[in-house]
């Protein structure tokens, strides 16, 4: 009996542990029907000792201790004073550095699924509906805000391993493609089922204001709305308006559902409600600093809680970025020089691209010095493995190691709303940590193991090395790998501005000039102009000046108002046409002003100071215009002329009916009568839209009523403003019949056309135009470049003026806008227009047409100090602009421009030398099997490519020889200034 009891006891002693183990496995198994208590599957404690422990940026213990239990950090502190639990497995890591696992706040689901990022096409933005299109491919639906990255999310083991080797433990998986992309998710990079690794299944809405630029097929064009950056902005604006409408409509119906139809269900709008109310983060991806500022303005306008993914060129407008204080994620895909086959090709690389190649690694340090905090992401890199070297480049340029570490730990944790769980080594936080050979981002640093959710992942060297393995209670890792070449420090001060006013003065007086006032005083010889604080104070002879005023000697020179271009497409970021729809009144040119466009500087060099920047002519009703001043050196908002009347582009004839280009989606209208009928139909729709809004306002004023609001329509909103006289029409036109039909349609609705643009047959219907009260902004002498222009004559402007039409000459061309004074001179030659009245064609008349004559267009007291100092008679072909002033600031000075050129040529030579050295260094690294050489897309002018086709606005231009590509912004070459008689 005793022996039996002993055998039973021995059997029980063996069976009980197995039973306990079986129960534990059952409880920890998905088959048990409930999740495990901790992801590690047990409560085993681990203690890492002996290492330098970087608990958070700027806070370290050397040596320190990290205690983990059940996937959570239990204790962190100095080795001498941090108790280690008796049941802890001790892992000695002397000579190593331990820090928090990195967090990438922006990784596309495509990259996590193992797909290579798609490269942008050579086309700047992807042409749409342009002449010569051979094939049409429509992009995927641009709006799928209801989508979720977590649905169908796949994280390959290879992707996880790649990120783990870099020290990343957590990533924000973001949807790829489209404008409104849906919600992201936050996941860990450990092993096991995805369901076990999800930290946040829905995290933020992801938006891009840049249409995708990916080539779908050789020669393909995009046809789905939107294809322009202004169209993308309009789509986002409309979608958030729809979200708030859907919320209000659902609420109204829920309060009184009986007797009326319920609102239609809009999944995208419903998904955006929390974001539209500012309760959920919206993450904007920006392709460049202009896109970033556009996104910031959009978030401010819509009152969104926003985060922004920058592009790395924020330093170009650092002041504007610093003022906005965005919650920023930075890419570190610093541009690399393209490998040229011929050394002579370096001359074609734009100076701005050479600067960006050279300056981009300094961007993080320069932003940080401006007080901007940010996180880092691997987004944009061809391979994630490039990330550590790029961060080291930023550190070599002056970013502190502490700021670099914060950019991948504490800051992204806070941005993702997980600062209480991630980003640092503190008791209670998730046990995500890295054991490395050196400090984060040090030259010799390599992660040898990473712990994610308390689970250890060894990271042996890929080339034969191996990390240490746990052996009993104490282990020691393998020897360090050979360090990569060290990056020498190259800390640089922030570069001085290379654009902007030459002389921002409080007061200036021009003495003894011949002044073309273009006002009641007419032409005054030997006169003075005084400007104080940006306004003209006095014009006349012997003007008294205050003390301290800067004097400009105008003897022998002529002074005129700044030239005004009533039809421009200069300084637009991306496509000028949203040509996908026949009506795109919702898009706004002011959303896409490009202050870097050198065309603005070149126009200043020709005396042009103000322009009406218009949408293209692909649509019967196009987009909203922007009246700008060429305040060179500022940001996009600095260009806008505050208070200028709102306007919009209409178009008649061949372009909107698509005679000259192939539309992959044939659309109405296809005839001239269809174009005007579409305009009439939209006017009727806008009138009905306003009626429904008024009916809702009256119904909502009744106590206890719960009317369902009408859905917002930004397109009809803009058109309704036309009917109310609050938005001016600038109508592209050619033939007399379509001009008359447009007048009839406008008068049918009580509307006046502000200007007919081009209006080449205006001389045939000048009396009708004058009777209607429209202005005519025409070409000086363009004709016969397409069927609509066959009856054009150079006397058009003079003949319309004789019949009482307010006439201006416009450019419709970056090149022509540099010599509007010569265009005005043609009115003297063709039609005998008096010189002063001819100059009015490019000064006072366009100012009146645009509703800004109270500020610009003439030199009179109280108006803006916008003026040009000419070497001689402004209507003489030998005269050139010597100085151009806007609001009392000198933005162009010919002498200063010429003096600056040698320094810019020297800078270019130095930048080319640095780029060549960079290429050679990367070639050596590639041969040595180190970092891969970047295969960046070639910049413009480097690699041969097909000539781009022109958008629909372009066919109306005469062929002109392209100007020689200068190495710097400069005035056009001209002979020495000599006065001459006016042409006759």
């Amino acid at each position: 009996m005793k022996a039996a009891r002993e055998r039973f006891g021995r059997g029980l002693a063996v069976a009980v542990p197995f039973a306990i183990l079986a129960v534990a496995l059952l409880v920890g198994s998905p088959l048990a029907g409930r999740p495990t208590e901790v992801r590690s599957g047990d409560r085993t404690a681990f203690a890492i000792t002996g290492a330098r422990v970087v608990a958070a940026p700027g806070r370290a213990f050397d040596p320190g201790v990290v205690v983990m239990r059940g996937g959570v950090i239990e204790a962190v502190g100095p080795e001498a004073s941090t108790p280690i639990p008796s049941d802890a497995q001790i892992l000695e890591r002397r000579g190593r550095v331990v820090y928090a696992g990195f967090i990438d706040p922006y990784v596309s689901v495509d990259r996590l699924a193992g797909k290579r990022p798609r490269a942008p096409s050579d086309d700047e933005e992807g042409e749409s509906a342009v002449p010569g299109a051979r094939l049409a491919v429509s992009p995927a639906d641009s709006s799928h805000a209801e989508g979720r990255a977590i649905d169908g999310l796949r994280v390959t083991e290879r992707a996880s391993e790649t990120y783990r080797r870099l020290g990343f433990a957590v990533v924000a998986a973001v949807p790829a493609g489209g404008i409104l992309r849906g919600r992201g998710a936050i996941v860990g990079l450990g092993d096991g089922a995805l369901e076990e690794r999800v930290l946040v299944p829905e995290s933020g809405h992801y938006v891009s204001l840049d249409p995708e630029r990916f080539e779908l097929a050789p020669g393909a064009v995009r046809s789905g709305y939107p294809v322009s950056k202004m169209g993308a902005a309009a789509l986002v604006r409309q979608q958030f308006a729809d979200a708030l409408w859907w919320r209000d409509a659902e609420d109204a119906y829920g309060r009184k559902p009986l007797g009326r139809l319920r609102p239609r269900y809009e999944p995208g709008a419903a998904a955006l409600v929390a974001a539209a109310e500012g309760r959920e983060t919206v993450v904007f991806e920006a392709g460049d600093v202009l896109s970033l500022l556009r996104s910031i303005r959009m978030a401010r306008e819509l009152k969104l809680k926003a985060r922004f993914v920058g592009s790395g060129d924020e330093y170009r407008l650092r002041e504007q970025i610093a003022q906005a204080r965005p919650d920023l994620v930075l890419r570190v895909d610093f541009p690399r020089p393209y490998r040229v086959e011929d050394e002579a090709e370096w001359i074609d690389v734009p100076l701005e691209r050479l600067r960006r190649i050279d300056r981009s690694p300094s961007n993080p340090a320069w932003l940080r010095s401006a007080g901007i905090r940010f996180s880092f992401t691997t987004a944009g890199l061809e391979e994630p493995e490039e990330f550590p070297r790029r961060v080291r480049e930023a550190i070599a340029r002056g970013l502190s190691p502490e700021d670099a570490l914060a950019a991948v730990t504490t800051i992204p944790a806070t941005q993702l709303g997980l600062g209480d769980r991630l980003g640092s080594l503190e008791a209670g936080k998730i046990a995500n940590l890295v054991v490395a050979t050196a400090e984060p981002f040090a030259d010799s640093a390599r992660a040898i193991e990473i712990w994610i959710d308390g689970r250890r992942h060894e990271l042996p060297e890929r080339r034969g090395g191996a990390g240490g393995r746990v052996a009993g209670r104490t282990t020691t890792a393998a020897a360090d790998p050979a360090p990569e070449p060290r990056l020498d420090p190259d800390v640089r001060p922030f570069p001085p501005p290379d654009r902007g006013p030459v002389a921002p003065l409080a007061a200036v007086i021009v003495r003894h000039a011949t002044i073309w006032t273009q006002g009641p005083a007419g032409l005054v010889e030997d006169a003075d102009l005084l400007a104080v604080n940006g306004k003209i104070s006095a014009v006349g002879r012997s003007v008294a000046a205050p003390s301290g005023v800067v004097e400009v000697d105008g003897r022998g020179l002529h002074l005129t108002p700044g030239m005004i271009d009533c039809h421009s497409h200069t300084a637009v970021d991306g496509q000028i046409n949203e040509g996908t729809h026949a009506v795109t009144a919702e898009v706004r040119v002011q959303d896409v002003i490009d202050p870097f466009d050198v065309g603005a500087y070149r126009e200043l060099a020709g005396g042009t100071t103000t322009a009406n920047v218009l949408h293209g002519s692909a649509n019967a009703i196009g987009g909203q215009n922007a009246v700008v001043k060429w305040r060179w050196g500022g940001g996009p908002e600095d260009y806008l002329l505050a208070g200028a009347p709102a306007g919009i582009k209409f178009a008649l004839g061949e372009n909107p009916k698509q005679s000259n280009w192939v539309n992959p989606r044939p659309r109405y209208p296809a005839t001239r009568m269809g174009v005007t009928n579409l305009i009439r139909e939209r006017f009727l729709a806008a009138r009905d839209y306003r009626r429904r809004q008024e009916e809702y306002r009256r119904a909502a004023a009744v106590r206890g009523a719960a009317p369902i609001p009408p859905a917002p329509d930004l397109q009809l909103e803009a058109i309704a403003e036309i009917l109310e006289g609050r938005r001016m029409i600038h109508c592209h036109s050619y033939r007399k019949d379509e001009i008359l039909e447009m007048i009839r349609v406008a008068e049918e609705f009580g509307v006046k056309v502000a200007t007919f643009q081009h209006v080449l047959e205006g001389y045939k219907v000048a009396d009708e135009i004058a009777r209607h009260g429209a202005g005519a902004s025409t070409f000086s002498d363009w004709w016969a470049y397409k069927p609509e222009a066959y009856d054009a004559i150079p006397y058009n402007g003079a003949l319309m003026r004789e019949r009482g039409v307010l006439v201006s000459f416009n450019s419709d061309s970056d090149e022509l806008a540099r010599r509007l004074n010569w265009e005005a001179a043609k009115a003297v030659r063709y039609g005998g227009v008096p010189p002063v009245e001819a100059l009015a064609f490019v000064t006072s008349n366009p100012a009146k047409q645009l509703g800004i004559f109270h500020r610009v267009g003439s030199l009179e007291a109280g108006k803006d100090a916008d003026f040009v100092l000419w070497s001689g008679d402004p209507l003489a072909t030998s005269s050139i602009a010597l100085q151009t002033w806007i609001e009392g600031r000198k933005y162009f000075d010919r002498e200063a421009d010429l003096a600056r050129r040698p320094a810019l040529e020297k800078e270019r030579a130095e930048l080319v030398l640095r780029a060549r050295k960079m290429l050679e260094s990367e070639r050596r690294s590639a041969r040595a099997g180190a970092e891969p050489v970047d295969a960046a897309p070639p910049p413009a002018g480097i690699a041969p490519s097909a000539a781009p086709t022109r958008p629909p606005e372009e066919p109306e231009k005469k062929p002109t020889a392209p100007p020689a590509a200068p190495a710097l912004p400069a005035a056009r070459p001209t002979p020495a200034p000599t006065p001459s008689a006016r042409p006759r």
Side-chain angles (χ1 to χ4, degrees):
M1 180 64 69
K2 181 180 180 181
R5 285 197 300 267
E6 289 175 350
R7 287 195 301 271
F8 176 79
R10 287 196 299 270
L12 185 62
V14 174
V16 168
F18 278 101
I20 294 172
L21 179 60
V23 171
L25 290 173
L26 180 61
V27 171
S29 168
L31 299 177
R34 62 184 181 86
T36 58
E37 182 182 2
V38 293
R39 291 185 178 87
S40 61
D42 58 39
R43 296 286 296 169
T44 302
F46 299 92
I48 295 179
T49 65
R52 172 178 166 80
V53 176
V54 181
R59 184 161 59 93
F61 308 106
D62 191 5
V65 169
V66 179
V67 179
M68 299 171 282
R69 187 189 299 274
V72 176
I73 296 174
E74 194 169 88
V76 178
E79 187 177 67
S81 58
T82 304
I84 298 174
S86 59
D87 64 336
Q89 184 174 352
I90 298 175
L91 309 174
E92 185 177 331
R93 296 292 184 265
R94 299 209 176 271
R96 302 306 186 195
V97 179
V98 177
Y99 48 86
F102 295 168
I103 303 165
D104 191 326
Y106 198 85
V107 181
S108 75
V109 292
D110 287 348
R111 173 156 273 172
L112 293 174
K115 301 177 183 177
R116 292 183 64 83
R118 291 179 291 173
S121 65
D122 289 339
D123 179 19
E124 169 66 19
E125 191 179 347
E127 295 293 338
S128 172
V130 293
R134 295 182 288 105
L135 177 65
V137 179
S138 178
D141 182 13
S142 295
S143 178
H144 31 83
E146 69 279 8
R148 303 192 317 160
I150 196 67
D151 296 329
L153 178 63
R154 177 172 170 261
V155 184
T156 66
E157 179 55 30
R158 182 174 181 179
S160 293
E161 183 186 2
T162 296
Y163 275 90
R164 289 196 296 257
R165 287 181 178 277
L166 300 175
F168 287 95
V170 171
V171 298
V174 304
I179 305 299
L180 291 116
R181 300 175 173 178
R183 288 185 172 98
I186 304 174
V187 298
L189 294 173
D191 50 19
L194 178 65
E195 292 79 4
E196 299 176 1
R197 294 183 277 147
V198 175
L199 280 79
V200 183
E202 293 184 359
S203 175
H205 275 276
Y206 288 81
V207 174
S208 171
L209 297 184
D210 298 328
E212 290 184 282
R213 298 187 291 115
F214 303 121
E215 185 175 5
L216 300 176
V221 297
R222 295 181 176 274
S223 60
Y225 177 88
V227 295
S228 68
K229 295 178 181 180
M230 66 180 101
L235 175 64
V236 171
R237 194 175 282 116
Q238 180 68 63
Q239 289 286 300
F240 277 98
D242 288 345
L244 295 178
W245 165 81
W246 189 86
R247 175 203 63 188
D248 294 343
E250 282 289 296
D251 177 67
Y253 179 76
R255 282 186 281 145
K256 285 194 174 182
L258 295 179
R260 55 184 178 176
L261 291 173
R262 64 182 177 276
R264 68 182 184 273
Y265 176 66
E266 297 283 356
L272 286 172
V273 168
E277 294 176 339
R279 295 184 290 108
E280 190 172 6
T281 301
V282 179
V283 184
F284 288 88
E285 179 187 356
D288 56 25
V289 67
L290 296 180
S291 178
L292 175 59
L293 286 174
R294 190 177 308 128
S295 301
I296 291 171
R297 292 195 302 272
M298 178 71 71
R300 186 171 59 223
E301 174 189 339
L302 301 179
K303 298 180 174 60
L304 303 177
K305 177 184 177 183
R307 186 163 64 249
F308 308 91
V309 182
S311 61
D313 66 338
E314 289 76 18
Y315 66 89
R316 301 177 74 194
L317 290 172
R318 184 178 72 158
E319 181 180 347
Q320 288 82 353
I321 301 298
Q323 289 174 353
R325 296 288 174 186
D327 187 9
L328 191 60
V329 179
L330 274 189
R331 290 197 287 258
V332 292
D333 55 334
F334 309 135
R336 326 306 283 182
Y338 185 71
R339 295 187 295 277
V340 298
E341 297 181 0
D342 187 341
E343 288 299 313
E345 292 178 355
W346 282 109
I347 197 172
D348 293 326
V349 183
L351 177 62
E352 185 51 50
R353 177 168 176 82
L354 291 171
R355 283 175 172 167
R356 185 168 181 184
I357 291 169
D358 185 62
R359 295 175 178 178
S360 288
S362 296
N363 184 60
W366 288 338
L367 292 184
R368 190 69 194 93
S369 67
I372 302 170
R373 291 177 64 83
F374 47 80
S375 61
F376 281 148
T377 177
T378 59
L381 294 170
E382 186 174 351
E383 300 292 345
E385 290 90 343
E386 301 171 32
F387 181 76
R389 180 173 179 83
R390 300 295 174 241
V391 176
R392 282 193 287 274
E393 289 179 18
I395 293 173
R397 291 291 186 92
L399 183 70
S400 72
E402 291 78 14
D403 284 328
L405 180 58
V408 290
T409 54
T410 54
I411 294 176
T414 301
Q415 288 176 328
L416 297 176
L418 298 174
D420 59 341
R421 285 174 277 173
L422 298 172
S424 61
L425 303 182
E426 299 177 63
K429 291 194 172 183
I430 297 173
N432 290 350
L433 57 87
V434 179
V435 179
T437 58
E439 296 286 325
F441 304 116
D443 295 334
S444 60
R446 181 179 71 83
I448 57 176
E449 60 186 89
I450 184 169
W451 294 71
I452 301 176
D453 291 330
R455 288 181 174 179
R456 180 172 177 269
H457 300 264
E458 292 185 79
L459 303 171
E461 282 191 271
R462 286 178 173 173
R463 297 176 181 174
R469 293 181 175 277
V470 177
R473 292 176 56 85
T474 304
T475 66
T476 303
D480 294 345
E484 68 177 32
R486 184 174 180 271
L487 294 172
D488 294 326
D490 185 17
V491 181
R492 305 180 185 184
F494 189 71
D498 55 358
R499 307 176 308 124
V502 180
L505 304 175
V508 61
I509 188 168
V510 181
R511 295 282 194 188
H512 306 298
T514 298
I515 300 180
W516 301 56
T517 66
Q518 301 308 112
L523 192 151
V524 185
E525 296 183 351
D526 192 24
D528 307 331
L529 181 145
L530 173 65
V532 179
N533 296 326
K535 296 289 185 180
I536 297 173
S537 179
V539 178
R541 294 187 176 95
S542 303
V543 172
S547 61
V549 67
V550 174
E551 291 201 9
V552 177
D553 186 0
R555 287 184 176 87
L557 306 179
H558 288 240
L559 196 69
T560 71
M563 306 292 108
I564 300 173
D565 188 356
C566 198
H567 188 127
S568 172
H569 299 301
T570 302
V572 170
D573 183 18
Q575 293 211 97
I576 193 61
N577 275 291
E578 181 52 63
T580 50
H581 294 163
V583 175
T584 56
E586 71 277 8
V587 309
R588 311 190 313 192
V589 169
Q590 73 177 60
D591 286 334
V592 290
I593 295 297
D594 178 4
F596 300 122
D597 187 346
V598 72
Y601 181 82
R602 291 169 177 164
E603 290 174 24
L604 286 168
T608 300
T609 58
T610 304
N612 179 29
V613 184
L614 289 165
H615 185 276
S617 59
N619 328 79
I621 302 179
Q624 302 166 35
N625 69 311
V627 179
V628 302
K629 287 191 179 186
W630 298 134
R631 301 183 184 102
W632 181 248
E637 292 182 301
D638 296 320
Y639 273 36
L640 299 176
L641 179 53
I648 192 168
K649 177 72 172 291
F650 277 39
L652 310 174
E654 294 183 7
N655 287 348
K657 76 185 184 72
Q658 307 157 96
S659 300
N660 301 320
W661 48 286
V662 179
N663 190 340
R665 293 181 175 177
R667 72 178 193 207
Y668 175 85
T671 64
R672 294 179 192 275
M673 57 185 170
V675 171
T676 51
N677 190 63
L678 176 61
I679 293 171
R680 180 181 289 107
E681 185 277 328
R682 287 289 85 191
F683 280 169
L684 289 170
R687 179 186 289 174
D688 182 64
Y689 177 72
R690 279 288 189 255
R691 179 186 58 78
R692 286 184 281 115
Q693 289 179 325
E694 181 58 31
E695 289 175 352
Y696 169 74
R697 278 192 289 270
R698 289 198 300 266
V702 176
R703 184 186 296 270
I708 295 176
D713 190 317
L714 299 183
Q715 180 186 113
L716 293 179
E717 191 70 39
I719 297 173
E721 291 171 359
I722 299 171
L723 300 179
E724 295 161 349
R726 297 189 291 123
R727 186 170 296 281
M728 303 166 69
I729 296 174
H730 302 288
C731 186
H732 164 114
S733 58
Y734 282 82
R735 289 178 19 172
K736 66 179 186 301
D737 52 347
E738 65 189 19
I739 294 169
L740 290 175
E741 183 64 17
M742 184 65 230
I743 289 174
R744 295 186 185 110
V745 171
E747 292 179 349
E748 177 185 340
F749 289 88
V751 172
K752 185 177 76 172
V753 176
T755 65
F756 283 101
Q757 298 286 323
H758 313 322
V759 62
L760 294 189
E761 291 188 13
Y763 65 95
K764 297 181 180 181
V765 289
D767 291 340
E768 289 79 3
I769 295 173
R771 189 179 305 115
H772 177 69
S777 186
T778 188
F779 296 138
S780 61
D781 60 352
W782 291 15
W783 61 77
Y785 49 90
K786 64 177 180 175
E788 286 183 325
Y790 282 178
D791 280 2
I793 59 174
Y795 295 90
N796 185 42
L799 291 173
M800 287 191 291
R801 170 187 163 274
E802 288 180 4
R803 306 306 296 179
V805 179
L806 183 67
V807 176
S808 69
F809 281 166
N810 66 58
S811 76
D812 193 21
S813 158
D814 291 354
E815 188 273 332
L816 196 65
R818 296 163 57 193
R819 49 184 173 85
L820 286 176
N821 60 313
W822 292 357
E823 296 301 291
K826 294 174 184 177
V828 180
R829 171 65 179 83
Y830 298 109
V833 177
V836 170
E837 295 187 34
L839 188 65
F841 281 15
V842 294
T843 54
S844 57
N845 287 5
K848 293 172 183 177
Q849 291 175 342
L850 297 174
I852 55 175
F853 186 59
H854 63 289
R855 289 191 58 180
V856 296
S858 65
L859 301 180
E860 301 176 70
K863 289 195 173 184
D864 294 354
D866 296 2
F867 55 86
V868 185
L869 195 63
W870 300 89
S871 62
D873 186 326
L875 299 183
T877 56
S878 59
S879 295
I880 57 174
L882 301 178
Q883 297 179 7
T884 303
W885 296 68
I886 298 177
E887 296 168 357
R889 295 176 173 229
K890 183 165 57 174
Y891 281 88
F892 173 76
D893 186 303
R894 183 173 176 79
E895 288 186 5
D897 181 278
L898 293 172
R900 183 168 170 253
R901 295 185 185 190
L904 289 177
E905 288 295 340
K906 180 181 178 183
E907 180 189 7
R908 162 179 279 279
E910 292 173 350
L911 292 175
V912 168
L913 181 60
R914 290 178 187 174
R916 292 171 64 180
K917 288 181 178 179
M918 184 184 296
L919 280 176
E920 183 56 34
S921 173
E922 293 187 346
R923 286 192 187 101
R924 288 196 301 268
S925 296
R927 286 194 296 268
E931 304 245 357
V933 176
D934 295 296
I942 298 299
S945 61
T949 51
R950 294 180 179 179
E953 186 64 44
E954 301 298 324
E956 59 204 33
K957 302 179 184 179
K958 292 187 303 184
T960 56
L968 53 109
R972 59 182 181 275
T974 55
T978 54
S980 69
R982 302 186 190 99
R984 298 293 180 187

